[in-house]
Amino acid sequence: MADASYFDSISRLDGQLFIGGAFRPGEGSRLPVENPATGETIGHIAAATGAEVDAAVAAARAAFRIWSRELPRTRANALHRLGDLIAADALNMARIMTAEQGKPVNEAKGEILKLAEACHFYAEEATRVHGEIVPNDQPGFQSLVVREPIGVVGAITPWNYPAELVGWKLCASLAAACTIVIKPAEITPYTALAIAEKCADAGIPAGVVNVLTGKGSQVGQALVEHPHVDKIAFTGSSAVGLHIQQSCPQVKRLSLELGGNCPLVVTASADVAAAVKGAARRSFRNCGQICIAINRIYVHRSVYDEFVAQLGAAADALSVRNGLENAAADLGAMASGEPLAKTKEHLADALEKGARLIAGGKAPEGAEYAGGHFFRPTVVADCDHSMKVMTEETFGPLIGVAPFDDLDEAVRLANDTPYGLASYVYARDLVEIQTLSQELDYGNVAINNVDAGIMNAPYGGRKQSGVGYEHGREGLLEYFNFKHVRLHHGVGN
Ligand code: NAD
């Protein structure tokens, strides 16, 4: 049985909003939050009212005047303290996340520790923000290009990575001297509120960080429409991202990290065992509820049967358990009934159109699974692009596999999607590697590995997968305006 102290944290955060440096009970209606492994209600969030949205934005705006005048080193120190506090409480924060999201505790703890790493990375970046002096077209002039923080950021985040996807926006905002109002997904609010607690403990000044809970269509939309929110940093589905872009009533900076439909290409020269290991990890981790999950795999016909058989065995070997009680399980519950229903729909569609079921295909059996949203990791082979599994984002533990005969065909199939987030390649032939890294129309290409994002490199999508970047220096630049100061000093006229 898992240590239950996380439950005290959830009770403490129940129905709370974090505005102007303090927790306060929300005045709006309550929405239940479910443990997806059991179906039990673990608490309720407050749906922030219009007045509470205004209060949070006003607090962030007031704090911006102070925070943006602090020395970079002061902001860096605050971020380092935040990272240390998060790392020190990683297990408890992980259990909070598992209770609301379903991923096994060890995996959740890994995510919390990566959030701590993001705090330290951006703390260091905060002290290295510099401008440029650019050449002029006349003597006696000097042009400075300086970077100034955008102002108040509205961060709207999904439920699949409840810590990191809040954290990247939070850390970049703080490093850039912006202030932030965070609206986490309604089904995973407690992780964000627990992060707010750490911000208070780290001594981050009141109003710099605010957290509002509630429905996206109300609270999220209110941030999008708010005249005093200067930038929206959104991660979520392409449909909601497009809606935000279309419904934003003022000119406002937007960064949109959206959906994916990520291919893996396994060529004739690939190390098949390594490709299978990578595919099993990136298809099924977090039950496939990852924007950069491998959705579909194209395998050269010469190694196709071998690959399919090995991937089926790898999927069958993965454990699916209640992630709170089995911290080391490979998969926990899916986060809600919605992605589970879509997974089943995509599976039924593929089988109906002639795909071959290789592994999984159903929920695990037994009393442990009765109340939750569980599904076995599932592999279907002999797929084609008439099937949803190959053309839509499933966001579940289902992977479609298809053979190809030459590299041009693999490139054409891999790029046959409106999305452009991440793609994966397993190959040992240098020409194949170079061709695929050039031709794949994606923001990220991972070759002979499946970890497409690292903290020090820009991470973002193209096409319907979004605009803007997180991570790296490019991610930080998203939080700045540039200002050109053209000075006539007259020297050398
Ligand atoms: P979602 O788009 O349904 O919701 C995301 C957030 O937007 C939630 O906080 C929600 O409350 C809010 N929201 C909903 N309607 C809104 C509106 N009208 N105005 C403002 N906010 C609104 O996405 P989800 O189901 O929570 O997450 C899954 C999706 O997120 C997948 O498509 C996945 O690919 C994507 N995702 C992308 C990345 C990336 O980096 N590109 C990372 C993780 C997840």
Side-chain angles (χ1 to χ4, degrees):
M1 188 63 190
D3 177 333
S5 59
Y6 71 92
F7 213 81
D8 297 339
S9 306
I10 290 178
S11 306
R12 197 172 56 247
L13 298 169
D14 205 61
Q16 300 289 310
L17 306 175
F18 187 68
I19 299 175
F23 282 97
R24 57 158 98 160
E27 287 167 5
S29 58
R30 294 295 187 264
L31 303 168
V33 180
E34 173 191 272
N35 176 342
T38 61
E40 288 160 4
T41 298
I42 56 169
H44 292 81
I45 51 165
T49 63
E52 288 165 333
V53 173
D54 284 344
V57 174
R61 184 141 296 283
F64 177 67
R65 279 189 286 279
I66 301 159
W67 187 241
S68 57
R69 286 170 171 75
E70 294 284 7
L71 286 175
R73 173 52 61 199
T74 304
R75 291 191 292 271
N77 289 345
L79 272 164
H80 278 307
R81 284 196 302 276
L82 180 60
D84 288 343
L85 286 169
I86 287 171
D89 197 29
L91 185 55
N92 189 51
M93 291 182 75
R95 287 180 175 141
I96 294 171
M97 189 195 302
T98 300
E100 64 185 4
Q101 202 271 351
K103 70 181 66 172
V105 167
N106 286 0
E107 190 178 332
K109 189 174 169 200
E111 184 182 339
I112 297 288
L113 292 174
K114 281 177 88 176
L115 166 60
E117 186 192 324
C119 293
H120 296 303
F121 174 83
Y122 279 109
E124 289 164 12
E125 287 298 304
T127 61
R128 294 179 196 143
V129 174
H130 53 76
E132 282 182 319
I133 299 174
V134 297
N136 256 277
D137 53 359
Q138 286 173 282
F141 286 82
Q142 191 171 54
S143 278
L144 311 175
V145 180
V146 294
R147 292 167 189 177
E148 295 183 341
I150 287 180
V152 175
V153 175
I156 303 174
T157 55
W159 44 261
N160 60 335
Y161 282 87
E164 281 192 279
L165 294 173
V166 166
W168 299 345
K169 297 163 184 62
L170 169 68
C171 295
S173 292
L174 299 195
C178 293
T179 58
I180 188 165
V181 181
I182 299 162
K183 206 302 282 175
E186 35 283 60
I187 65 171
T188 56
Y190 293 116
T191 303
L193 290 165
I195 293 169
E197 260 189 330
K198 298 291 178 245
C199 290
D201 294 348
I204 292 171
V208 172
V209 179
N210 305 270
V211 178
L212 296 174
T213 53
K215 287 195 171 159
S217 55
Q218 291 161 5
V219 183
Q221 190 70 37
L223 289 175
V224 171
E225 291 177 11
H226 206 293
H228 297 134
V229 171
D230 303 299
K231 170 188 164 96
I232 292 291
F234 172 80
T235 302
S237 60
S238 293
V240 173
L242 181 61
H243 171 80
I244 286 175
Q245 182 175 294
Q246 289 172 337
S247 65
C248 190
Q250 309 96 25
V251 175
K252 187 172 288 197
R253 284 278 284 273
L254 292 178
S255 51
L256 304 171
E257 299 288 341
L258 308 178
N261 180 19
C262 310
L264 161 65
V265 177
V266 181
T267 74
S269 72
D271 175 341
V272 173
V276 166
K277 197 166 169 224
R281 175 180 162 84
R282 191 47 71 224
S283 304
F284 300 128
R285 197 166 168 75
N286 199 11
C287 288
Q289 302 164 128
I290 318 182
C291 52
I292 56 167
I294 296 171
N295 285 238
R296 50 202 171 99
I297 307 179
Y298 306 97
V299 187
H300 191 266
R301 205 175 289 279
S302 63
V303 289
Y304 181 71
D305 290 341
E306 182 189 354
F307 179 89
V308 168
Q310 284 189 28
L311 184 60
D316 283 339
L318 295 170
S319 62
V320 181
R321 304 296 305 274
N322 177 327
L324 257 182
E325 291 169 8
N326 303 277
D330 296 308
L331 282 77
M334 297 184 72
S336 77
E338 215 177 294
L340 175 57
K342 195 172 182 195
T343 303
K344 288 179 180 170
E345 182 202 324
H346 282 197
L347 175 62
D349 172 76
L351 295 178
E352 201 175 290
K353 290 172 180 160
R356 193 158 45 99
L357 182 65
I358 304 295
K362 54 183 176 11
E365 285 159 18
E368 176 182 345
Y369 307 106
H373 308 295
F374 291 96
F375 208 68
R376 286 285 325 160
T378 299
V379 179
V380 283
D382 307 347
C383 296
D384 62 44
H385 279 214
S386 71
M387 300 170 188
K388 291 179 182 174
V389 66
M390 303 301 276
T391 53
E392 292 181 21
E393 183 182 47
T394 305
F395 230 57
L398 169 65
I399 181 79
V401 193
F404 71 86
D405 291 301
D406 63 60
L407 215 55
D408 285 350
E409 183 190 3
V411 169
R412 182 178 54 73
L413 289 169
N415 285 341
D416 178 24
T417 173
Y419 296 104
L421 190 53
S423 55
Y424 302 88
V425 172
Y426 273 85
R428 282 183 289 207
D429 180 284
L430 196 53
V431 173
E432 287 178 343
I433 289 174
Q434 182 58 22
T435 304
L436 288 166
S437 65
Q438 244 173 254
E439 296 299 323
L440 289 172
D441 191 11
Y442 290 83
N444 307 269
V445 184
I447 298 165
N448 295 327
N449 75 91
V450 290
D451 296 304
I454 63 165
M455 190 51 66
N456 206 15
Y459 167 83
R462 51 180 71 171
K463 294 159 64 179
Q464 299 309 299
S465 290
V467 287
Y469 295 92
E470 295 196 291
H471 291 190
R473 210 158 268 174
E474 294 80 356
L476 187 58
L477 287 180
E478 298 277 338
Y479 292 80
F480 287 105
N481 286 318
F482 291 173
K483 181 186 274 179
H484 173 205
V485 180
R486 187 160 187 258
L487 168 70
H488 180 221
H489 48 64
V491 179
N493 259 358

